Amino acid sequence: MAPPPRYALELPGGALLHFAVGGAGGAGEAGAPAARPDPRLAAWLGPPGRSYSLCAPAGAGGERVRAARRLQRLRGQLQRAPFRGCQLRPLLGYGPGPGPGGGGLQPGFLLRDPRGGADTRRALRDLVGACPEPGRPHLGEFEADARGALWQRLWAPPGGGPARGARSPVLPVPEPPPLHPAVPDLHRSVVFRDRDAASAVLRECTSFIPEAQAVLDLVDQCPRQVRKGKFQVIAIEGLDATGKTTVTQSVSASLNAVLLQSPPPCIRQWRQIFDEEPPIIRRAFYSLGNYLVASEIAKESIVGPVIVDRYWHSTAAYAIAAELSGGPQHLPPARHPVYQWPGDLLKPDLVLLLTVSPEERVQRLRGRGLEQTREEAELEANSIFRQKVQQAYQRMENPSCLAVDASPSREEVLQTVLQRIRTPAD
């Protein structure tokens, strides 16, 4: 018998709660779970109130972009009336069992209605019923019996599916060793191994994002194999409000170096458009921006040193932190392939990571009034996301990031950075 489908629910604070639906005995009373097997499951899936699962296949091949856009649209719908009084948490269905949550990743959400009203149930069924096939999310409703045991009922949309009365037991399961269930999918979804993988994503978007073709046209004009010149190339990374802009400008002036940015000006005008898209599209845009910058680096490093304000490490660190639910403990371990520099991307001589304390960042952010990307706003509001980005930066290698404390005065930080550039091995 195939193992039952499993789910990972992200709890406040970054913990992941893993559970299976079904198992030995299958659906029906013969497979009844023990009463109250896990207090956290009871708190999120049982009374008072009512909880629902909505998960859909992540898609494969040409379907992955459409699936990602459907999921983003579903999230937006679940954040509006009549669901505003409900709690919405990330929920990931994963294999190996068949059916909802099995046979691959099925991202989605847990919607908890503290009132447990019929209006929410009715609105959810209308919402899911209006979703076209393929890609319609599976809607499950959780309930507890008189003993406190938890069950899930699948709602059957018009035209077929499981019987409305069928229900399966909900059972806690241990966290799957050794990695977060979504880690194997990272290279396919947000941390692209090479230029072709990122380009393939944007090609799927040209029919509904005209700017995607413009980005592809610019990338196609870049040579596939570019080499760094004889002068030094330094990438400077850091979270928002770590002083990165000030440092890059000061270092560039001190070394008489060219200052480049990723994404470069030739596509930066479309940044807001792609920032509104799902992660797979957004990350493909930023990844291709790195290849455009690499072409500029190759030209400029022939005649002088080059400073790059953000490069591949920034793209990868934000992508990993955003894509993996849970806290920093669920990131891939150091030396995992996802932290390795792409083999076809021009590599800098040195990568410096500016760091400041969370308290210092808050002070610097106050009153800035600058436009923020979605991830930068998340950094300010979500300490767990900030920790994940920081740790992902620290695990990058080939090349790794060399940390620089950016808390002192501007002049002190500048001198420290210049010292690191002149003696990078220290």
Side-chain angles (χ1 to χ4, degrees), residues 95-113:
L105 295 182
Q106 296 208 4
F109 311 99
L110 181 88
L111 185 81
R112 180 160 181 80
D113 179 11

Side-chain angles (χ1 to χ4, degrees), residues 168-337:
S168 300
V170 176
L171 303 167
V173 293
E175 185 169 331
L179 297 172
H180 188 290
V183 167
D185 198 55
L186 287 175
H187 271 137
R188 192 183 71 92
S189 60
V190 291
V191 185
F192 303 103
R193 292 180 183 272
D194 52 38
R195 167 174 154 175
D196 287 342
S199 295
V201 171
L202 285 203
R203 286 196 187 95
E204 296 175 27
C205 304
T206 54
S207 62
F208 52 87
I209 307 177
E211 294 80 6
Q213 185 61 59
V215 174
L216 290 169
D217 290 343
L218 289 169
V219 172
D220 288 342
Q221 295 172 23
C222 297
R224 283 194 167 271
Q225 298 295 329
V226 294
R227 294 181 178 273
K228 187 182 74 67
K230 65 179 180 179
F231 288 92
Q232 202 171 18
V233 176
I234 301 99
I236 298 182
E237 300 278 5
L239 304 182
D240 193 40
T242 54
K244 188 165 42 60
T245 300
T246 300
V247 169
T248 53
Q249 292 174 348
S250 300
V251 172
S252 175
S254 298
L255 299 180
N256 194 26
V258 171
L259 176 59
L260 302 176
Q261 287 184 311
S262 186
C266 61
I267 66 169
R268 200 173 184 86
Q269 58 186 315
W270 302 315
R271 184 178 180 180
Q272 186 174 357
I273 294 172
F274 286 94
D275 278 344
E276 295 300 319
E277 293 294 332
I280 187 171
I281 301 175
R282 188 162 66 248
R283 290 304 153 204
F285 168 77
Y286 283 101
S287 294
L288 293 179
N290 291 328
Y291 287 92
L292 291 170
V293 169
S295 183
E296 296 182 39
I297 293 172
K299 298 174 186 176
E300 298 294 348
S301 60
I302 294 174
V303 297
V306 177
I307 305 298
V308 189
D309 182 349
R310 286 189 172 173
Y311 200 17
W312 182 83
H313 283 344
S314 179
T315 305
Y318 278 83
I320 295 168
E323 190 70 4
L324 298 182
S325 55
Q329 69 273 24
H330 297 106
L331 293 176
R335 304 192 182 282
H336 189 276

Side-chain angles (χ1 to χ4, degrees), residues 113-200:
D113 179 11
R115 299 160 298 185
D119 289 345
T120 299
R121 180 190 292 113
R122 189 179 308 111
L124 277 175
R125 291 179 182 174
D126 291 344
L127 175 61
V128 173
C131 294
E133 287 284 11
R136 175 183 287 150
H138 302 284
L139 173 60
E141 182 177 346
F142 296 96
E143 59 186 44
D145 61 22
R147 302 182 310 124
L150 295 171
W151 302 82
Q152 184 198 60
R153 291 185 186 272
L154 283 179
W155 175 70
R164 169 62 184 88
R167 67 177 188 173
S168 300
V170 176
L171 303 167
V173 293
E175 185 169 331
L179 297 172
H180 188 290
V183 167
D185 198 55
L186 287 175
H187 271 137
R188 192 183 71 92
S189 60
V190 291
V191 185
F192 303 103
R193 292 180 183 272
D194 52 38
R195 167 174 154 175
D196 287 342
S199 295

Side-chain angles (χ1 to χ4, degrees), residues 104 359 369:
E359 296 76 18

